[in-house]
């Protein structure tokens, strides 16, 4: 089992920035690819970004490319999502997730509880 706890969400104005963190425990963190997935009200979960276990490979949804950066610190068992130039359409609950495979879909094995990000116009 992998336990994941997100933090760092909040309310921000359009154009602002936030950094989300996700602390993992339970298994060897570097063995797992990590992803950020979001879900807006009334919508399905949407892939945002993913990073390989080593951190060498990253992927982004087209909607966030150039604005968001995923990174990880394996010594701290933590993955981050830096979000710049935020838009109202980025408003969602953001989930951290883990999987043995690097996935570009919301089909991860382990999930955190989510953190709310609200971007006001």
């Amino acid at each position: 089992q992998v336990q994941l706890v997100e933090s760092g969400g909040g309310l921000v104005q359009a154009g602002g920035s936030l950094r989300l963190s996700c602390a993992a425990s339970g298994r060897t963190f570097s063995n797992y690819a990590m992803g950020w997935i979001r879900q807006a009200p009334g919508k399905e979960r949407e892939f945002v970004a993913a990073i390989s276990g080593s951190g060498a490979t990253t992927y982004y949804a087209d909607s966030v490319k150039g604005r968001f950066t995923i990174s990880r610190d394996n010594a701290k068992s933590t993955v981050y999502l830096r979000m710049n130039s935020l838009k109202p359409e980025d408003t969602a609950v953001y989930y951290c997730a883990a999987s043995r495979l690097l996935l570009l879909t919301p089909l991860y094995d382990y999930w955190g509880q989510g953190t709310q990000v609200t971007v006001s116009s």
Side-chain angles (χ1 to χ4, degrees):
Q1 290 284 347
V2 177
Q3 291 80 42
L4 303 170
V5 179
E6 301 98 334
S7 60
L11 173 64
V12 63
Q13 288 188 335
S17 299
L18 282 175
R19 189 180 79 158
L20 306 182
S21 299
C22 173
S25 61
R27 294 287 177 92
T28 303
F29 183 64
S30 59
N31 287 346
Y32 289 84
M34 300 297 296
W36 287 96
I37 291 90
R38 67 187 181 186
Q39 188 168 23
K43 295 187 177 181
E44 295 185 350
R45 288 186 175 181
E46 174 192 20
F47 167 80
V48 175
I51 188 167
S52 62
S54 67
T57 304
T58 57
Y59 293 99
Y60 298 92
D62 287 343
S63 58
V64 306
K65 202 170 293 182
R67 300 188 297 121
F68 290 11
T69 302
I70 188 171
S71 61
R72 65 190 296 159
D73 184 338
N74 285 346
K76 295 182 178 180
S77 297
T78 301
V79 62
Y80 305 97
L81 185 68
R82 177 68 180 181
M83 305 184 293
N84 295 329
S85 302
L86 282 162
K87 304 175 181 180
E89 51 263 43
D90 293 319
T91 295
V93 176
Y94 283 71
Y95 297 92
C96 166
S99 176
R100 287 283 192 171
L101 300 177
L102 183 57
L103 300 174
L104 306 187
T105 65
L107 296 177
Y108 283 73
D109 297 319
Y110 304 101
W111 292 78
Q113 82 288 352
T115 186
Q116 177 71 46
V117 172
T118 303
V119 184
S120 63
S121 58

